[in-house]
Amino acid sequence: MPSPASGPRSVDRALEILDAVADAPGPLGAKVLARRLGCSLSTVYHLLGPLTARGHLVRTCDGYAPGPRVAVLHRSFQRHLGLGPQLAELLPRLRRATGAEAYVTAYRDGRIVVLDSTVPVTDSEHPFVPGPETRAHATAHGKVLLAALPRAARRRYLAEYGMARFTDRTITGAERFEAEVERVRGRGYAVSVGEADPAYTCLAATLPAGQGADGVVHALSLSLPTADFRRRHGELRAALVRTAAHLPPPGAPTG
């Protein structure tokens, strides 16, 4: 007899469990997971065992929560995308100097991800937090990263992820976006004023090239309430561009 979950389907179920626990505001019980996944309770328990044993999940009195292995995987992911200690330590300094949240974003192999951020983990309302970024056409970091790509690669990215409208300021046309790309290249930085979220503005500049043959491009960004940006855009832009221009490429020797 086959086990309650075996083969490729068991892998899918295990990943669905991890996603459900990661997206939940608090621990989830096995019965809740079974209902959400639409499978039997025995199948859920069959998969929770190895996930807990390997540290991907922990069992608490209220249910299952992300385990310590998740943090290890996240640090490994950051390392593989070139987030070294110098850049990670720069973010809180830039946050203190500007009063805006700072973050670093990377493009590789057709994907854009926010690698690290000064946004508190308790701030669930902020629109720019670590994780996959699928709104590149509407964010400053997405604009500068896509502007660094050849037109064909940029078009492939936009065709895959689309150009959804998030606010009345969002650019949703390919030709208009190409015009925006030209402006970004001419200025050396990008701005998104309420394009991804009406309450927030973000600014971004790419970091120096030199990451090697892995094709990774990095951007340094700031974000803040749009009302604050309108008063301080000059000083924020100068601080961002100055910092990005003088920062060694991620992974470059510092000695």
Side-chain angles (χ1 to χ4, degrees):
M1 291 288 293
S3 61
S6 60
R9 186 55 181 151
S10 70
V11 175
D12 285 341
R13 289 290 196 200
L15 294 175
E16 288 171 355
I17 288 174
L18 289 174
D19 285 342
V21 172
D23 293 339
L28 294 178
K31 291 182 180 179
V32 174
L33 287 167
R35 287 197 299 270
R36 292 194 179 184
L37 272 61
C39 62
S40 68
L41 186 59
S42 62
T43 294
V44 169
Y45 277 123
H46 176 78
L47 297 171
L48 285 172
L51 289 173
T52 304
R54 290 175 177 267
H56 297 290
L57 296 177
V58 292
R59 185 177 183 179
T60 73
C61 59
D62 296 318
Y64 291 86
R69 184 63 184 165
V70 175
V72 176
L73 292 174
H74 180 57
R75 287 197 298 272
S76 176
F77 177 70
Q78 291 177 319
R79 184 173 64 252
H80 279 271
L81 282 176
L83 182 66
Q86 183 182 32
L87 185 51
E89 293 167 2
L90 171 71
L91 295 182
R93 293 203 302 271
L94 192 57
R95 170 69 176 84
R96 289 192 296 270
T98 63
E101 302 296 354
Y103 47 106
V104 61
T105 313
Y107 168 93
R108 184 175 69 178
D109 299 328
R111 296 181 183 275
I112 292 175
V113 62
V114 179
L115 291 179
D116 201 5
S117 169
T118 59
V119 177
V121 295
T122 55
D123 186 352
S124 60
E125 300 300 320
H126 199 284
F128 309 119
V129 295
E133 178 60 272
T134 59
R135 310 159 300 170
H137 65 292
T139 66
H141 49 271
K143 291 179 184 181
V144 292
L145 291 172
L146 291 175
L149 303 179
R151 183 185 177 105
R154 184 165 55 253
R155 285 296 182 91
R156 285 195 299 271
Y157 180 94
L158 295 174
E160 178 175 354
Y161 290 99
M163 302 182 72
R165 181 179 296 280
F166 300 107
T167 75
D168 59 1
R169 303 182 67 99
T170 307
I171 297 174
T172 59
E175 292 307 317
R176 186 180 168 200
F177 189 78
E178 286 301 318
E180 177 72 358
V181 163
E182 290 304 313
R183 285 191 288 271
V184 169
R185 288 175 172 169
R187 294 182 306 211
Y189 66 92
V191 181
S192 169
V193 181
E195 295 178 41
D197 184 294
Y200 283 86
T201 285
C202 54
L203 306 84
T206 52
L207 298 183
Q211 287 82 354
D214 54 7
V216 180
V217 185
H218 295 86
L220 185 65
S221 312
L222 293 172
S223 65
L224 70 166
T226 298
D228 294 341
F229 169 77
R230 297 189 190 283
R231 292 186 296 102
R232 306 178 55 219
H233 62 89
E235 63 173 285
L236 292 170
R237 181 175 65 247
L240 175 69
V241 172
R242 181 172 61 249
T243 302
H246 291 89
L247 188 71
T254 57

